[in-house]
Amino acid sequence: MNIAFFLTPKEDVVCETLNSSMRQALERMEKYRYTAIPLIDNKGKYVGTLTEGDLLWKLKDTQEFNFKNTSKILLKEIPRHMNNKPVRINSNMEDLVSLAVNQNFVPVIDDNDVFIGIIKRSDIINYCYRELFDKNCNFTLNMR
């Protein structure tokens, strides 16, 4: 099986650029109820993952900072604490699953490191569950 089977394409992924403001990221993450989103640079390359924790630590560690100031802080100024490693689109399933064990999503890049989408851990688990359930149902029916 090819990992592209699980790909959620970039057009369907909530992500931000390094030049987006903290406020923009907060509002989009709230709107879509995400706790982490991919970050891309101005050339479309994946550069990391931004988490709610990163935003909270920035808020905590910046003197005289409040929500009103969030439009003045660019995402490139916020230290990131999580490193969601990407896979290449031609990677094998073993590489994908080994990363998905510890990441809610795995960013997918092409041969030029351009971000092309994500693979959600929940999609992998749901697929495995369906495969297991279908096999168990067939096994039970064959036993009768």
Side-chain angles (χ1 to χ4, degrees), residues 1-8 85 87 92-108 118-133:
M1 174 178 282
N2 187 312
I3 70 168
F5 175 79
F6 296 104
L7 183 71
T8 300
K85 294 179 182 168
V87 293
N92 61 43
M93 287 299 294
E94 186 177 341
D95 294 337
L96 171 64
V97 172
S98 69
L99 290 174
V101 166
N102 296 309
Q103 298 176 191
N104 286 334
F105 66 86
V106 179
V108 182
I118 63 171
I119 296 175
K120 295 177 265 184
R121 179 170 53 196
S122 61
D123 288 346
I124 298 169
I125 292 170
N126 286 330
Y127 172 81
C128 292
Y129 176 80
R130 285 189 306 273
E131 286 294 304
L132 181 63
F133 180 74

Side-chain angles (χ1 to χ4, degrees), residues 43-55:
K43 295 179 182 174
K45 294 186 178 192
Y46 172 74
V47 294
T49 298
L50 180 73
T51 68
E52 285 180 328
D54 298 331
L55 299 172

Side-chain angles (χ1 to χ4, degrees), residues 35-109:
T35 59
I37 57 173
L39 288 175
I40 56 175
D41 67 13
N42 60 354
K43 295 179 182 174
K45 294 186 178 192
Y46 172 74
V47 294
T49 298
L50 180 73
T51 68
E52 285 180 328
D54 298 331
L55 299 172
L56 288 170
W57 283 315
K58 179 66 176 175
L59 186 62
K60 178 186 92 48
D61 294 339
T62 306
Q63 292 289 327
E64 313 224 357
F65 187 59
N66 60 44
F67 184 73
K68 290 179 185 177
N69 305 46
T70 58
S71 59
K72 297 176 184 171
I73 303 288
L74 299 181
L75 296 182
K76 63 184 170 190
E77 301 168 27
I78 298 175
R80 294 183 305 275
H81 300 86
M82 177 181 281
N83 182 24
N84 274 13
K85 294 179 182 168
V87 293
R88 296 202 181 279
I89 190 63
N90 58 357
S91 295
N92 61 43
M93 287 299 294
E94 186 177 341
D95 294 337
L96 171 64
V97 172
S98 69
L99 290 174
V101 166
N102 296 309
Q103 298 176 191
N104 286 334
F105 66 86
V106 179
V108 182
I109 57 176

